[in-house]
Amino acid sequence: MSPQRTIPQITAGGAKQVSVVEVGPRDGLQNERVRVPTATKVKFIEALAHAGLKRIEASSFVLPHAIPQLADAEAVFAQLHRQPGVRYSALVPNRVGLHRAEAANVQDIAVFTAATDTFVRHNIHMTLEASLAHFAPVVQEANERGMNVRGYVSTVFGCPYEGAVTPEQGIAVAERLFELGVQEVSIGDTIGVATPGDVIRWLRAAEKRLPLDKLALHFHDTRGTALANVLIGLEFGIRTFDATAGGLGGCPFAPGASGNLATEDLLYTLHGLGYETGVDLAKVVEASQVIAASLDHMLPSRYYQAARVASCLPLPR
Ligand code: COA
Ligand code: ZN
């Protein structure tokens, strides 16, 4: 008897379309030491849309001095040439942020909390419970205005302050966000600790209580497990994944968090498995090149690095 194989299910079952949510201009850039000029950000976002990415989190209407890297959110949205069919979103922490986003003609917003109380306190200066009450009117008002709202749950697989996190903690917060009226919840491994085993345990617990088709998985590649975790997500039927071009980013409130899963590495893997994303991988590399010139370090995406040294090889998929 051969052991039960799981990998063929990834290519056989479920929908073949995968949606990649590009969060580089927000989650990526908020954790870069350097300040990227507004014009470069705009060029980067336009290049991402040109590559075929249909959902781009372009900036954040948080307190400007809390995240100075994104203090130019208004200017970014004002200067951006928006491509039809692309949804540009922004993170908002409160009603002030929502109104700034509306004034900037932002289509969709994201609100954010976490699975652990200490992380929420550090991030937005209130308890986890208070954050849910605080976001209720924001979500309601955004929905009334026809915006899609995504809810982020950070620290689902581990917290820089509290350590281990149970599946129950993240699931309970995601349930509450859906009750508030968000259309999608992004499940975040903020510090990149999840292994495929953790993701299996989490999704087994979650599938009984949450609509998996309304979940996105958001992995950071701190310990090299992000792509393996994506494979587990695919097997459970998850079809939305967050990533950052070049593997930009981290989180300033999560010490030690390194870059997100890179969009290029995700696309290469998805396309190799036969999934359709509608995104042109070679053009994502071009977008990463736009931002790379402004950074003080090499972009960590493995595909991006391979493409740079071996541009004559048949790399794109
Ligand atoms: N945009 C601009 N100004 C804002 C604002 C926003 N979204 N939210 C609040 N302010 C202003 C208030 O109007 C107030 O101004 P005033 O002093 O002139 O009256 C001042 O900031 C303080 O407001 P308060 O509600 O007390 O906020 P705070 O200082 O406790 O900050 C947050 C709370 C959440 C708004 C702030 O910490 C923040 O934006 N953090 C960023 C978190 C983040 O992006 N983390 C990374 C994502 S994982
Ligand atoms: Zn993140």
Side-chain angles (χ1 to χ4, degrees), residues 27 218 220 250 260:
D27 200 15
H218 178 112
H220 286 241
N260 295 61

Side-chain angles (χ1 to χ4, degrees), residues 124-307:
I124 53 174
H125 316 147
M126 62 182 81
T127 64
L128 168 49
E129 196 56 41
S131 75
L132 292 164
H134 162 91
F135 280 123
V138 179
V139 175
Q140 193 187 343
E141 191 176 331
N143 279 336
E144 282 165 10
R145 287 166 204 274
M147 293 169 148
N148 291 321
V149 185
R150 151 180 270 217
Y152 278 104
V153 188
S154 293
T155 67
V156 169
F157 298 95
C159 173
Y161 308 106
E162 296 186 18
V165 179
T166 64
E168 167 60 28
Q169 288 174 268
I171 291 168
V173 175
E175 274 183 338
R176 298 281 299 276
L177 285 168
F178 280 121
E179 281 164 23
L180 295 188
V182 305
Q183 280 76 38
E184 176 182 79
V185 172
S186 175
I187 299 300
D189 183 16
T190 315
I191 55 171
V193 286
T195 67
D198 298 322
V199 180
I200 290 171
R201 279 184 288 279
W202 197 88
L203 287 169
R204 274 197 187 134
E207 68 185 343
K208 301 182 189 88
R209 290 170 50 191
L210 298 172
L212 293 195
D213 60 336
K214 296 195 171 84
L215 293 187
L217 293 179
H218 178 112
F219 294 116
H220 286 241
D221 203 27
T222 318
R223 292 164 182 79
T225 51
L227 271 177
N229 294 340
V230 166
L231 292 190
I232 302 298
L234 287 169
E235 190 142 29
F236 275 82
I238 303 285
R239 292 293 180 269
T240 306
F241 297 94
D242 297 356
T244 64
L248 277 171
C251 176
F253 298 95
S258 66
N260 295 61
L261 169 60
T263 308
E264 290 92 330
D265 303 2
L266 175 62
L267 291 171
Y268 188 66
T269 302
L270 289 172
H271 295 169
L273 283 165
Y275 286 99
E276 287 160 20
T277 64
V279 186
D280 182 331
L281 179 45
K283 287 188 180 157
V284 177
V285 171
E286 286 170 23
S288 292
Q289 267 163 342
V290 169
I291 206 77
S294 297
L295 302 178
D296 58 356
H297 62 89
M298 179 79 178
L299 280 168
S301 162
R302 306 299 288 269
Y303 184 94
Y304 175 81
Q305 292 181 14

Side-chain angles (χ1 to χ4, degrees), residues 106-129:
V106 175
Q107 291 155 292
D108 299 333
I109 60 153
V111 297
F112 54 106
T113 184
T116 52
D117 194 60
T118 318
F119 188 87
V120 181
R121 287 172 194 260
H122 275 86
N123 199 9
I124 53 174
H125 316 147
M126 62 182 81
T127 64
L128 168 49
E129 196 56 41

Side-chain angles (χ1 to χ4, degrees), residues 26-27 30 60-67 91 93-94 96-98 100 112 119 123-126 154 251-253:
R26 197 281 300 172
D27 200 15
Q30 77 177 18
S60 191
F61 291 93
V62 294
L63 201 56
H65 69 249
I67 308 281
L91 199 73
N94 50 25
V96 179
L98 173 64
R100 287 175 61 202
F112 54 106
F119 188 87
N123 199 9
I124 53 174
H125 316 147
M126 62 182 81
S154 293
C251 176
F253 298 95

